[in-house]
């Protein structure tokens, strides 16, 4: 039986944090053994939001590839590629843009939330909403369909984008004949990791994340500042671990003393400072193998570049094939 294709993407706008790790990239490492796996560094999509900050996107590409390799994405199994090196994706985006109404894009819940956030940041003028930004779901549909992705591992915030992609596929196939594959979401067991501040989501820009690339001192500082049960004031107060972020991370990284941590917290036998110190030790142990791999790749930037270049070359061949089929079906294959 033919292997199914997995396609996922990530915007290069900063380093990966442990929320990305537990919610996403850890799964990609597992999936790469079973599926034909493509991981897109979505620099063109990152630019829809950061067109005035090309340096940030440029630097993040390299950082992100190193992050992915450090957590165990294996370039011999998975294809890591750069969106901007595949013009076929941009061409597909143009063709698909006829199949989507502006009203439909404006109704997309993910886009709606992002527009709302932008308005909060930049005011009501709405000038921050570009044609490119509004259309990024179309471009994301091109990312997925260029590789005939069957499964798309994403967080639940991405489901509306996937639904939009499926609509585009159905419309394309009904007008031009069956060509594209309708993808399905592949949700991870832990869709979302909470932040150090207790926020429901750990986010790059929320200042509540532990990054895989953080050094020891930074990890220590962040954990020592993490939110614990606000009702515990004195060292021997009894506390509720279920509202404590320190306990939450003990659990997340599978501290083998978890039961003791829980019992001592509930009975008032354990102070928060000691509990945090234990978490620092465990977290650093957890991050150590990742940090070691990172060091290797940081010292071998040419190798990292080569991996991305080779992956992009391989991905381009696949996208070329899809584009050829699409153009045939659309009757714009004049000179073939
Ligand atoms: N929009 C996704 C995010 O912000 C990134 C992305 C780009 C993506 N292209 C994709 C995800 C294709 C899945 C499939 O996280």
């Amino acid at each position: 039986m033919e292997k199914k294709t997995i396609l996922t993407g990530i915007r290069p706008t900063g380093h990966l944090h442990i929320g990305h790790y537990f919610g996403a990239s850890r799964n990609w490492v597992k999936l790469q053994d079973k599926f034909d796996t493509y991981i897109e560094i979505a620099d063109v999509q990152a630019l829809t939001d950061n067109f005035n900050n090309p340096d940030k996107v440029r630097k993040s590409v390299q950082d992100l590839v190193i992050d992915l390799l450090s957590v165990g994405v294996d370039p011999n199994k998975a294809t890591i590629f750069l969106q901007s090196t595949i013009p076929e994706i941009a061409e597909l985006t143009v063709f698909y843009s006829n199949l989507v109404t502006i009203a439909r894009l404006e109704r997309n819940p993910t886009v709606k939330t992002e527009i709302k956030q932008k308005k909060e940041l930049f005011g009501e003028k709405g000038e921050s909403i570009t044609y490119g930004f509004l259309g990024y779901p179309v471009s994301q549909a091109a990312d997925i369909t260029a590789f005939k992705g069957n499964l798309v591992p994403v967080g639940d915030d991405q489901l509306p984008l996937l639904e939009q992609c499926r609509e585009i596929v159905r419309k394309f196939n009904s007008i031009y004949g069956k060509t594209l594959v309708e993808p399905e979401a592949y949700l991870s067991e832990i869709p979302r990791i909470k932040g150090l501040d207790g926020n429901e989501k750990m986010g790059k820009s929320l200042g509540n994340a532990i990054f895989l690339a953080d050094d020891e001192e930074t990890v220590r500082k962040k954990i020592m500042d993490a939110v614990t049960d606000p009702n515990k004031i004195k060292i021997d107060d009894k506390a509720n671990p279920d509202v404590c972020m320190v306990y939450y991370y003990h659990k997340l990284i599978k501290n083998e003393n978890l039961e003791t941590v829980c019992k001592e917290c509930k009975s008032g036998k354990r102070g928060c400072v000691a509990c945090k110190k234990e978490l620092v030790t465990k977290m650093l142990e957890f991050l150590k193998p990742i940090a070691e791999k990172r060091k290797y790749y940081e010292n071998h930037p040419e190798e990292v570049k080569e991996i991305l270049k080779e992956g992009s070359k391989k991905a381009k061949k696949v996208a070329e094939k899809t584009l050829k089929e699409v153009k045939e079906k659309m009757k714009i294959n004049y000179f073939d």
Side-chain angles (χ1 to χ4, degrees):
M1 224 176 67
E2 228 180 276
K3 264 192 191 174
K4 282 199 170 174
T5 299
I6 289 245
L7 179 294
T8 194
I10 184 154
R11 293 183 187 193
T13 54
H15 273 292
L16 289 186
H17 52 63
I18 62 168
H20 294 122
Y21 176 76
F22 286 102
S25 51
R26 181 177 64 160
N27 294 330
W28 304 348
V29 173
K30 283 189 208 147
L31 296 172
Q32 66 185 351
D33 289 322
K34 276 196 267 166
F35 298 100
D36 204 4
T37 304
Y38 291 86
I39 302 176
E40 178 187 271
I41 311 290
D43 60 337
V44 177
Q45 188 175 118
L47 284 164
T48 61
D49 249 355
N50 296 277
F51 57 87
N52 50 1
N53 205 348
D55 290 332
K56 173 171 142 192
V57 176
R58 171 82 188 219
K59 178 178 180 306
S60 297
V61 169
Q62 178 88 355
D63 288 347
L64 199 54
V65 178
I66 292 180
D67 282 339
L68 291 171
L69 296 168
S70 306
V71 299
V73 173
D74 178 348
N76 293 314
K77 295 178 184 166
T79 306
I80 308 175
F81 69 96
L82 189 57
Q83 187 185 12
S84 62
T85 64
I86 314 217
E88 287 75 12
I89 295 176
E91 278 190 67
L92 290 172
T93 305
V94 173
F95 302 146
Y96 297 168
S97 65
N98 294 327
L99 309 177
V100 187
T101 65
I102 291 170
R104 176 65 182 89
L105 287 168
E106 285 172 339
R107 268 202 318 273
N108 182 311
T110 308
V111 173
K112 249 169 125 172
T113 310
E114 284 168 340
I115 289 179
K116 200 168 145 242
Q117 284 165 352
K118 276 177 197 293
K119 287 207 169 137
E120 277 161 15
L121 273 174
F122 304 112
E124 274 295 330
K125 284 190 211 112
E127 280 170 343
S128 58
I129 314 303
T130 62
Y131 163 64
F133 172 77
L134 186 65
Y136 94 77
V138 184
S139 158
Q140 187 155 319
D143 295 341
I144 298 167
T145 53
F147 300 92
K148 306 225 161 140
N150 304 104
L151 296 171
V152 183
V154 281
D156 51 4
D157 63 316
Q158 295 287 306
L159 291 178
L161 291 168
L162 206 67
E163 193 45 45
Q164 184 123 46
C165 173
R166 291 159 59 88
E167 282 175 29
I168 291 171
V169 168
R170 289 198 291 266
K171 189 137 192 201
F172 187 99
N173 288 346
S174 78
I175 297 173
Y176 303 109
K178 185 148 181 41
T179 318
L180 304 174
V181 173
E182 206 173 317
E184 275 171 48
Y186 193 100
L187 290 172
S188 64
E189 316 144 37
I190 320 178
R192 188 164 296 182
I193 306 302
K194 293 184 192 176
L196 288 156
D197 55 357
N199 191 309
E200 279 306 309
K201 191 179 173 194
M202 183 175 276
K204 256 183 279 208
S205 51
L206 299 172
N208 64 2
I210 296 177
F211 292 92
L212 297 174
D214 278 347
D215 60 28
E216 289 192 19
E217 209 26 58
T218 310
V219 171
R220 180 166 296 122
K221 250 206 185 111
K222 285 180 176 173
I223 291 179
M224 295 315 284
D225 283 342
V227 167
T228 53
D229 181 353
N231 291 323
K232 182 172 165 98
I233 301 179
K234 291 198 299 308
I235 189 164
D236 54 355
D237 280 347
K238 291 178 184 169
N240 175 9
D242 294 335
V243 298
C244 172
M245 295 322 295
V246 177
Y247 181 69
Y248 176 83
Y249 296 122
H250 274 299
K251 205 160 53 179
L252 191 67
I253 61 171
K254 295 199 159 53
N255 182 345
E256 67 283 0
N257 301 326
L258 193 67
E259 249 177 75
T260 317
V261 176
C262 182
K263 243 195 264 157
E264 291 184 354
C265 173
K266 281 182 173 164
S267 65
K269 242 177 110 184
R270 155 181 294 251
C272 291
V273 172
C275 192
K276 285 176 170 175
K277 281 188 177 155
E278 182 176 332
L279 179 62
V280 170
T281 309
K282 298 284 177 195
M283 186 65 80
L284 291 174
E285 264 170 34
F286 162 76
L287 291 172
K288 198 169 166 212
I290 299 174
E292 275 167 8
K293 275 189 140 178
R294 159 184 311 288
K295 205 177 269 158
Y296 171 83
Y297 286 112
E298 279 175 353
N299 291 327
H300 296 82
E302 284 306 316
E303 194 176 323
V304 176
K305 202 168 168 183
E306 202 50 35
I307 288 170
L308 191 58
K309 194 170 156 192
E310 281 308 308
S312 300
K313 231 196 233 168
K314 184 177 159 210
K316 189 169 188 311
K317 291 226 169 72
V318 181
E320 277 169 4
K321 196 161 160 265
T322 305
L323 182 69
K324 190 165 185 292
E325 287 169 31
V326 161
K327 286 178 124 178
E328 256 169 47
K329 293 286 174 63
M330 293 180 71
K331 306 195 187 301
I332 48 174
N333 58 331
Y334 296 103
F335 307 122
D336 285 353

